C-alpha cells in the first residue's frame, strides 16, 4: 500500500507541476511586457537625443544618430544657459519641497499613529479624502490664496503647496504603526526624554526606510509637476525644467531646430531621477534584509 500510495502521489505531483510552472512564467511575461511598455518611451528619448534635426525626421526611430554632443552644446548655449537655470530651479523645488514634505508627513503620521486625541479618526478620514482629490482641483484656489498674501510668482508659490502631502502622511502613519513599538516609547518617557527628543532620536531612525520611500515619491512628483508652476509662475528664470521644456516646445512650432533641444533636455531631465533611485535603493535593500532576518 505504501509503494502504491507513493506512486500515486508522484503521478498526481507530476500532473500538477506543469500548471505550477506556468504561473511563474506568466507572471514573468507580464512583468517583462510592463517593463517594455514603460521603458520604450525612455529608450526612444535617449536615442532621439543623439540625432540632429535632419536625422530626427529622416532616420529610423531607434537608430542612433551623430548629433548628441552638438545637441548638448546647443542646449547649454540656448538663452545663455537658461536650461541649467531651470534645472537648478527643479532641484530647489523638488529637493527642498520633498525634504520638508517628508518631515511634515513623518510628524503627522507619527502623531496619528501613536497619540490618542479627540477627533483623531475624523482628521485621518479627512487626510484620506485628500488623497482622492486631484491636484488640478486645488491649483487655482492655491493660486488665489498665495496671490492674496503676495507670494504668487515667487519660489514660495511652488514650494508651499507641496509641503502638505496627504498620501505621504498616510504612508508615514502606516510605517509608524509597523516600525515604532509602544514599549520603546514608554521606556524613553520613563527615562525622562521629551517628545521632541523621542521623535528626533528614536522615531525617525526607526522609520528611515519608510521616509526614504515618501521622499522619493514626493521628489519625483514635484520634479515632474507641470500644472502648479504653470499657474503660479510668470518669470522664465523661475521655471522648472518641465515648464521650460514646454516653452521650448511652443517655440518649436516656428523653429524646427528646437525639437532636438526639447528631446535632449527631456533626456537630461531624467538623469537626476535615475541617480536618486540608484543612491536610495540601498535603504530598500536594508529593509528587505531586516525583514528576512526577522522572519
Amino acid at each position: 500500500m505504501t509503494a502504491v500510495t507513493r506512486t500515486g502521489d508522484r503521478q498526481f505531483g507530476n500532473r500538477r507541476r506543469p500548471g505550477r510552472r506556468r504561473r511563474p512564467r506568466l507572471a514573468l511575461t507580464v512583468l517583462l511586457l510592463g517593463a517594455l511598455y514603460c521603458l520604450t518611451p525612455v529608450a526612444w528619448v535617449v536615442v532621439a537625443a543623439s540625432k540632429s534635426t535632419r536625422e530626427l525626421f529622416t532616420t529610423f526611430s531607434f537608430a542612433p544618430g551623430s548629433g548628441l554632443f552638438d545637441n548638448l552644446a546647443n542646449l547649454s548655449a540656448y538663452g545663455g544657459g537658461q536650461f541649467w537655470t531651470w534645472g537648478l530651479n527643479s532641484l530647489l523645488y523638488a529637493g527642498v519641497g520633498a525634504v520638508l514634505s517628508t518631515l511634515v508627513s513623518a510628524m503627522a503620521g507619527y502623531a496619528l499613529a501613536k497619540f490618542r486625541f479627540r477627533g483623531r479618526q475624523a482628521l485621518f478620514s479627512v487626510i484620506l479624502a485628500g488623497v482622492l482629490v486631484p491636484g488640478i482641483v486645488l491649483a487655482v484656489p492655491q493660486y488665489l490664496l498665495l496671490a492674496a498674501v503676495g507670494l504668487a510668482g515667487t519660489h514660495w508659490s511652488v514650494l508651499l503647496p507641496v509641503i502638505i502631502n496627504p498620501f505621504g502622511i498616510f504612508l508615514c502613519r502606516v510605517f509608524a504603526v509597523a516600525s515604532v513599538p509602544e514599549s520603546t516609547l514608554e521606556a524613553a518617557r520613563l527615562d525622562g526624554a521629551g517628545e521632541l527628543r523621542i521623535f528626533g532620536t528614536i522615531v525617525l531612525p526607526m522609520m528611515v526606510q519608510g521616509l526614504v520611500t515618501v521622499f522619493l515619491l514626493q521628489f519625483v512628483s514635484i520634479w515632474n509637476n507641470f500644472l502648479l508652476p504653470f499657474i503660479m509662475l510668470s518669470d522664465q528664470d523661475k521655471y522648472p525644467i518641465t515648464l521650460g521644456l514646454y516653452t521650448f516646445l511652443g517655440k518649436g512650432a516656428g523653429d524646427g531646430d528646437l525639437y532636438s533641444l526639447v528631446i535632449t533636455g527631456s533626456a537630461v531631465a531624467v538623469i537626476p531621477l535615475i541617480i536618486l533611485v540608484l543612491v536610495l535603493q540601498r535603504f530598500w535593500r536594508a529593509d528587505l534584509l531586516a525583514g528576512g532576518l526577522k522572519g
Side-chain angles (χ1 to χ4, degrees):
M1 290 294 294
T2 304
V4 173
T5 304
R6 290 179 179 175
T7 303
D9 290 342
R10 290 175 183 175
Q11 290 176 352
F12 284 115
N14 291 334
R15 291 177 185 175
R16 293 170 183 168
R17 284 176 186 173
R20 294 179 180 177
R21 291 176 181 176
R22 290 193 192 101
R23 293 176 184 175
R25 291 178 181 176
L26 179 60
L28 180 60
T29 301
V30 172
L31 289 175
L32 290 176
L33 290 176
L36 183 65
Y37 176 80
C38 295
L39 294 178
T40 297
V42 178
W44 182 88
V45 169
V46 173
V47 173
S50 67
K51 297 182 179 183
S52 63
T53 303
R54 182 182 62 83
E55 293 172 337
L56 187 63
F57 295 101
T58 59
T59 60
F60 176 66
S61 297
F62 290 95
S66 58
L68 175 61
F69 295 105
D70 290 337
N71 290 338
L72 290 174
N74 293 334
L75 182 66
S76 299
Y78 186 87
Q82 197 170 40
F83 174 81
W84 303 113
T85 301
W86 296 336
L88 291 176
N89 289 336
S90 289
L91 285 176
L92 172 66
Y93 298 141
V96 176
V99 169
L100 294 178
S101 177
T102 302
L103 182 60
V104 171
S105 297
M107 291 188 292
Y110 167 68
L112 289 170
K114 298 300 179 180
F115 289 91
R116 303 291 183 268
F117 53 90
R118 182 177 299 177
R120 184 185 68 148
Q121 191 59 41
L123 179 60
F124 183 62
S125 299
V126 171
I127 292 173
L128 286 180
V131 176
L132 304 177
V133 178
I136 190 172
V137 176
L138 301 176
V140 174
Q142 288 170 347
Y143 172 80
L144 296 176
L145 288 174
L146 291 171
V149 295
L151 293 177
T154 66
H155 291 97
W156 288 108
S157 64
V158 180
L159 281 173
L160 290 178
V162 301
I163 292 178
I164 304 300
N165 178 19
F167 185 63
I169 295 174
F170 168 74
L171 286 181
C172 285
R173 181 184 180 274
V174 173
F175 291 134
V177 170
S179 61
V180 182
E182 293 283 353
S183 58
T184 303
L185 300 178
E186 292 299 328
R189 291 176 182 131
L190 289 175
D191 288 340
E195 294 297 335
L196 185 61
R197 183 180 178 184
I198 292 174
F199 177 76
T201 60
I202 297 176
V203 175
L204 286 182
M206 287 182 172
M207 294 177 59
V208 65
Q209 282 84 16
L211 297 182
V212 168
T213 302
V214 174
F215 172 82
L216 180 59
L217 292 176
Q218 189 68 347
F219 186 96
V220 173
S221 176
I222 300 172
W223 183 273
N224 294 327
N225 195 359
F226 169 79
L227 180 64
L228 183 65
F230 180 76
I231 292 177
M232 294 293 182
L233 301 176
S234 58
D235 185 0
Q236 289 194 7
D237 290 334
K238 298 175 182 176
Y239 282 2
I241 283 183
T242 51
L243 193 54
L245 292 177
Y246 174 76
T247 61
F248 269 1
L249 191 61
K251 295 177 182 178
D255 187 359
D257 292 337
L258 290 181
Y259 283 120
S260 297
L261 298 187
V262 173
I263 294 173
T264 305
S266 300
V268 173
V270 177
I271 294 176
L273 301 182
I274 296 175
I275 294 175
L276 187 66
V277 171
L278 293 177
V279 171
L280 297 182
Q281 67 175 347
R282 65 188 182 91
F283 290 97
W284 296 325
R285 290 180 179 178
D287 190 30
L288 291 175
L289 181 60
L293 292 176
K294 290 177 183 178

